[in-house]
Amino acid sequence: MSSAARFKPGWYRGFCTKNRSIKGIFPCSYVYVKPCKIENEGLFETAVPLEDPAVREVALVLREWNLIWKNAYVDRETYKFTILRKVMWELLDWRRQLLMGTLTQDQTKELKLRITSKIDWGNRYNVCLVSK
Amino acid sequence: MNSKQPKMPALKDANIVKIAVEMDDQVPQLIEFNQKQPLAATILELCNAWDLPDASLYALQFSENNYQNYITEKNRNEIKNGSVLKLTFSPSKTAHDILHKLNTGTNEEKVQALQKLSKLSIDTTFAHEFISKQGLQLIVSMIEGGKCKGAVLAYSLVSFVELMYHGIVFWDILECPFIQTVASYVNNQSADAQDHKIVQASLSILESIVLNGNAKKYELVEKEVTFPNLVAHLHNSNPVVQQNAMALINALFLKADLAKRRAVSATLCSKQVRNIILSNIIQPSTEQIGAEMAHQLYVLQTLSLSLLEQRMNSKMDPQDQDAHEKIKELRKIAFETDSNAGNDSAVRRQLGVFAKDYKKLGFKCDINPAQDFMETPPGMLALDCMVYFARTHTESYTKVVLENSCRADEHECPFGRTSVELVRLLCEILRIGEQPSEQATTFHPMFFTHDHPFYEFYCICIVLLNKTWKEMRATIEDFVKVFSVVREQITRALACQPTSMEKFKAKLQLLTYSEITNLWQQERTTREEWESHAQPIVELKEIIMPEILDLIQRNRIGYLVEGTRFTKYSPRGQRVKDKFWYVCLSPNHKVFHYGDCDEKSVPTIEELPNKLDVVDIKALITGKDCPHMRDKGRKTTPQLAFSLSLDSVEMTTLDFVAPDDQVYGYWTDGINALLGNKMTSKETENDLDTLLSMEIKLRLLDAEGIIIPQEPPPVPADPPNYDFCHDMK
C-alpha cells in the first residue's frame, strides 16, 4: 500500500502507491518489508516488487476481473458470475502455490502455462461479452 | 492494592493468616499467625496454651499428605489462610532421638527410627540438622560393614539417597568399601526375595557416584558392577528397578572415554541386550512407558548415536586409502557385473572411464569424488552410509544408481550428492553430536531393533528420497525443494514412533509427495480460517460490508425491475388454477406495475394496467401474518407468502405467493431495499459471503503468505519529531 520509506527508530514514512500525495508515517511493527527494486532513484523513484512477474500479472488481472465480476452480479448475469468466480478462485489458488515456493521447476513451468491460458481465456471471454 | 478506600483492616490482615495447629493427643488450636512475629515466639505461645514446658524442643511442620516440611523463617510465607500445621519435636531434637535409637536401640527400634529418617530426610531443614550431627557418617558406616540386612538395610540405603539428594555433602567422600558394599547389592542376583528398595537405592547411589564423583570413583563403580549384571536388572518386574538400572547404564556410558564408549555401545547394541530392552521395556506397553524411563531410553539412544559424531565431523583425508577403496567399491558394485569383473578392469582403470562412472554415481566432483566428503557434517559418515547401502542392500543400491544414470533427461536424482545431503539432514533431525538434554523423552523404538540403526535408517530414507524425487519430477534445481518434502516425510513418520524399521517404511509409503502437499494445504487452510477471525480482518470486513450490501441491493432491485410471474391465489389463500399475474418495478424504482398474464408470455410494462406507488407502501408483511394466509388448516404455503400493506383507501394490501424460496427471498429483499430496511433473506446471506470472501482475498493479494496476527501489534510512542530526512547517498 505504501512504499518508499525512510525511517526513524520504530517508524516508517511513506505514501500510497496509487496516490503519491497521500502520505503518512507507520509503526514498523505494522509494516512487512517486501524485497523490491528501486527504479529511477530520487524524487520520482518507483519501487517495483521483486516478485515473479506471473504473480504480479495474476494480481493485476484479478483486480481487473473483480470489477467485471461484480458488474455481472449486479446485472444478474448468473452464468458469467458463476464461471468467473470459479476461474478467479482457481487463479487465486495457483498464485498462492507459486508464492509458496514449494513447487519444482517443472511444476512451476506447467502452472505458469496453465495460468497464462486461463488468463487468455478470461480476457477473451470478458471482451467478447463486453462487446456484445 | 488501591489505598484510596479506607480498608485498613484488610491491609493489616496481609501479615496475619488464620490457621489451625494440631498436635498428637492435644485439642487443635485455631490461631492468627503473624508473619511479622519470629517463629520462636509463635511456638512459645502454642506451647504455653498446651502446657508444654520447653518450647525450644518444638517446631512447626506442614501437615499435607505429600508435603510435611518443617517451617523455617525461609519458607514460612508458604503458610496461607486455612493451612493446617502440626506442632512436633524440632529437627534437632528429632535427629538427636533417631541417632540415639540407632546407636543403642533394639533392631525393632532401629527399623522404626530408620523408617522415620527416610521420610524426614526429604526435608532439607532436617537433612542439614541430621548431617551436622554426624548422622550421615553413621549411616555410611552401617551400610559399609555389610552387616545390615533386611529392613534396616533398605531404610538405611533409602535414607542415604534422600540425605545426599540435597547436595550438602560431596559424593567424593565415599570410600572404596562403601562402594563395594553397595555394588554387591546390585550384583547379587541370586536372592529373588531381595527387597526391591535395596536394589533401587543401590542403583541410584551408584548412578550418582558415577555422575557426580571424580574419575576414580567412576572406575571403581565400573570395575565393581558389570554390564551383564546391570542388564539382568532390566528383566526385573519392578519398573523402578528397571529404570534405575537403565539410568546407571547410561551414567556409565556417558562418563566413559571414547574407546570405552565403543565397547559399551557394542555391548548395549548387541542383539541380546537390545532384545532385553525391547521385550522387557519397550514392547510390553509403548504407550505406558513412564516419562523417566522414556527419558532414559532417549539418553541411551542419544549416546549410542553420538558415537557417529566423530565420523560425521571428519573430512576425508586424501591419504586415506581405505576411504578411496570404499569409493572404488561403490563404483564396482554399481557398474561391474560378475562377467566383466577382473578381465577388462585394467582397461577400465583409465581415469576417464572412472570419471564417467563417478558422474553416473552422482558425485559433485566426478574427477575426484573424495572432494564430496570434505564438508562436515556429514563428512565421512556419508561415505560409510553409502558403502553400507551398497554392501547390504546391493539390489536396491544398483537399482537406485542405474535408474538415475540411464536417464536421458534432466530428471535424474544424483545418488552421491543427495546421499551426502540426506546424511546431513538425518544427523540434524536426530541431533547427532548434541549432549542429551535433561528433559527430552522422545526415543525411537525402531532404533532398538537393528544392529546398525542409523545406516539402516539412511538406507530407507535414500530410497524414499528417490521415490519423492520421481514423484516431484524434480531436476537438480529443485534439490532444496525435494529436501523440504523429504524432511517433512521423515519427521512426520518418526513422530508416530514406529516400533520397527518395517513400520517406519510403511508409514513413509503413505506419506507420498501428494500427501505432504495435502497436509501443507490443510495447514494453510486452517491458518487462513484462523486468520479470518483476526481482528484486523474482521475490521476490514466491516469496512467493506456497506459496499457489498449496496451491490446486493442493486441486484435485487434489478430483479424487481425485470419482474416476475406469480400464480394467482384467492383471497382465502387458495391457488387459482391456470391463472397468473405479473408484477414489475418501473425503471425509476417508483411504481410497481401489475396485471393478469398467461402462462408463457412476458408482458411489457405498458401492458400491465394496474399501478402501485412505492411511496404508498406502508410495510412488508410475510408468512402467516399475511391476510391471504390467515385461514389456517388449508393447504397453504405461508413460508412463500408476502404482502404489501398500503396507505390507500380502495385497497389495503397487495398479496403475493412466490413460486419458490429464491423468488421469495429476492422479492422481500428488493422491497426491504426500497423501504430502506435491512435485507434478511438466506440469499442475501449467501451472496454476502460469496462477495465478501472474494473481496477480502483480493484486498489482501499483496499480503499473501504473510502471517497476520490475531491482535494488532502495539503502536509505539510517537517519534520525537517528524523530520524524516531523505538521506540520499
Side-chain angles (χ1 to χ4, degrees), chain B residues 606-619:
Chain B
E606 291 79 18
E607 288 165 358
L608 298 170
N610 310 313
K611 283 185 191 174
L612 171 73
D613 284 334
V614 172
V615 286
D616 289 336
I617 301 173
K618 234 177 13 185

Side-chain angles (χ1 to χ4, degrees), chain A residues 47-69:
Chain A
V48 183
L50 284 179
E51 281 165 345
D52 192 300
V55 170
R56 273 196 296 148
E57 171 78 5
V58 173
L60 283 174
V61 165
L62 282 172
R63 291 201 177 102
E64 199 179 298
W65 289 7
N66 188 30
L67 300 175
I68 300 172
W69 181 64

Side-chain angles (χ1 to χ4, degrees), chain A residues 30 73 96 100 103 105, chain B residues 478 481 524 528 555 687 713:
Chain A
Y30 280 67
Y73 175 75
R96 189 168 64 173
M100 287 238 303
L103 297 178
Q105 301 280 317
Chain B
D478 301 314
K481 279 163 194 168
R524 228 170 35 207
E528 269 174 31
N555 169 290
D687 289 1

Side-chain angles (χ1 to χ4, degrees), chain B residues 32 56 111 157 161 196 214 224-225 241 244 252 268 304 307 323 364 383 387 420 449 496 566 659:
Chain B
E32 292 198 338
S56 67
V111 173
L157 288 167
V161 171
H196 284 320
N214 56 32
E224 289 296 326
V225 289
V241 171
N244 290 3
L252 288 168
L268 292 176
S304 305
L307 289 173
K364 229 190 256 178
L383 182 57
V387 169
V420 171
T449 63
C496 311
F566 291 95

Side-chain angles (χ1 to χ4, degrees), chain B residues 459-471:
Chain B
C459 293
I460 296 173
C461 294
I462 190 74
V463 174
L464 162 81
L465 184 130
N466 266 274
K467 177 169 159 278
T468 305
W469 188 287
K470 264 186 274 174
E471 285 170 355

Side-chain angles (χ1 to χ4, degrees), chain B residues 77-89:
Chain B
N77 52 359
E78 292 169 25
I79 302 173
K80 296 280 171 303
N81 269 320
S83 292
V84 178
L85 306 183
K86 192 173 173 188
L87 190 72
T88 169
F89 281 124

